[in-house]
Amino acid sequence: MRKTVLSLMSVAALALAGCNNASSPSQSTDTGAASSSSADTAAATKVANEVSGTITVRGDTPPSATAQLLINLVDVSAGAAGSAPLASKTSPAGTFPQPFQLSFNPAEVKSGDLYVVQATLTDGERHYVMKIQAPVLAKGEKNDGVAIELVAEQTPGEKVLAAFIDDQKQLGGMKMSHGTKLDPNASRGWQVFRQAGQIQFIRELVDYGDKGFTSTDYAYKDGKPWAIEQKTMASSGAKPSAIDRAGWSDDGTLVLKQHQVGTDVQTLDDDTAAKLHKQALDILNLATGGKNK
């Protein structure tokens, strides 16, 4: 009988030990879940007051050492027009690709509004802009690992030059007249190109004898010079020794200023640009008999 009681007690002890051991995995799982939840909360907290990512520059026109980079976190919702950025940072451009971080106050974020990261790079007259928006903060959008690509825009001078070249390509379809004049020290001839009754272009050839030869294209808008390209040569048909280009914006600002020798392009000085502008007015007056049309 005593042996039987002892056996029953042994069985009960083993069963109790089994129950205690069975509860251990549950406790371990709960602890692991709590740790994971804490990590998720920490990550959410980090995302809630910071956006970050990488900025790259596309194209063959890298920014100079003096370029400035501006990054803003902006509310672009219709009702937020003109509001200050949620975060902003200005710094020297440096090298690309480069990381960025913007910290902000989560209390200032308005639920339902649309926020984007806007980056612009300014390098003298050249601007680099984003072609694709970078939304953040909204549901489903990343707040870290934001990829921003900047693309160089044409400078005002490059826009004038591109339009000037387009005009040159259209000369064959314009109405053309011509004339000549013999000066004491030079002989000159010109072609006037009109479209819809308006002078668009004048091409002038001037032979200075042993002092050289110039071929100059003048483009006009509303009777005013807006772009000029002058090639200086030793003689007619020779390779240009220099090419000067000048162009003006609609408000009269000199924006295209190039002095090219071979493949080296330098900045055209203001005095030379002013002389070219006067030449454009002089040949317009000569070719039209003072009518300028």
Side-chain angles (χ1 to χ4, degrees), residues 210-225:
D210 58 2
K211 292 184 178 180
F213 188 94
T214 60
S215 173
T216 310
D217 284 353
Y218 305 94
Y220 300 84
K221 282 185 180 178
D222 300 323
K224 298 178 181 179

Side-chain angles (χ1 to χ4, degrees), residues 41-62:
T41 301
T45 301
K46 180 180 179 181
V47 169
N49 64 3
E50 181 182 277
V51 294
S52 60
T54 303
I55 300 175
T56 58
V57 174
R58 187 180 76 191
D60 301 324
T61 312

